[in-house]
Each structure stands twice: as C-alpha cells, then as structure tokens.
Amino acid sequence: LWDAGIAAEFPYKIKPRPQAQYDTCDSSIIPWAVIIGKDEISQGTVKIKNMAQKVEEEKGGVVVLRSDMIAELKQ
C-alpha cells in the first residue's frame, strides 16, 4: 500500500480483535479496512471493508484478489 502511495497503518498486536480495529478506523476517520486473515492468505485474496459508507450488503467487506487490491482501493 505504501509503495502505491496509499497511507496505511496496521495493528501491532498479535491477535487484535476485529471490532477494536473497526472502532479505531471510525475514531481516526480511516475510510478503508483491509482484512488479511489465514483464509485470505491461503486463497490469495483480501477483504476490503468501506468504513465510511457502512454499506449493509458489504457488511463483512468485499473479497478481491490480492493483485487487484490497489486498483480497488484507488477507485
């Protein structure tokens, strides 16, 4: 993300709770959450959650190929 010119942060905890991360996004006005878990790593995907709009149909986020992540975030 940084190499593509996208500002990014990540939690330094070993097992951060998802809700705590979403709360941080809300309080820091971070528009996107990129979730990369064990399943996403094995499938070569990431889950992108729009934190600004909170679209109900995309409650858990949109799954995209990791190679498409930058393009998806820059839309």
Side-chain angles (χ1 to χ4, degrees):
L1 293 175
W2 295 320
D3 289 344
I6 298 173
E9 295 183 30
F10 64 94
Y12 292 96
K13 293 185 177 181
I14 294 172
K15 286 190 171 186
R17 292 185 352 235
Q19 189 58 51
Q21 294 177 68
Y22 300 149
D23 292 344
T24 299
C25 288
D26 287 339
S27 65
S28 299
I29 312 172
I30 297 171
W32 301 99
V34 177
I35 299 119
I36 305 172
K38 184 171 54 171
D39 292 339
E40 288 81 14
I41 290 171
S42 68
Q43 296 168 7
T45 61
V46 297
K47 194 178 292 184
I48 300 174
K49 183 171 179 158
N50 185 328
M51 300 304 294
Q53 293 182 351
K54 301 204 190 274
V55 178
E56 189 62 33
E57 299 87 49
E58 299 175 4
K59 188 169 186 156
V62 176
V63 177
V64 299
L65 290 173
R66 187 169 177 195
S67 59
D68 296 335
M69 173 179 58
I70 301 300
E72 184 73 23
L73 289 170
K74 287 191 170 187
Q75 286 190 54

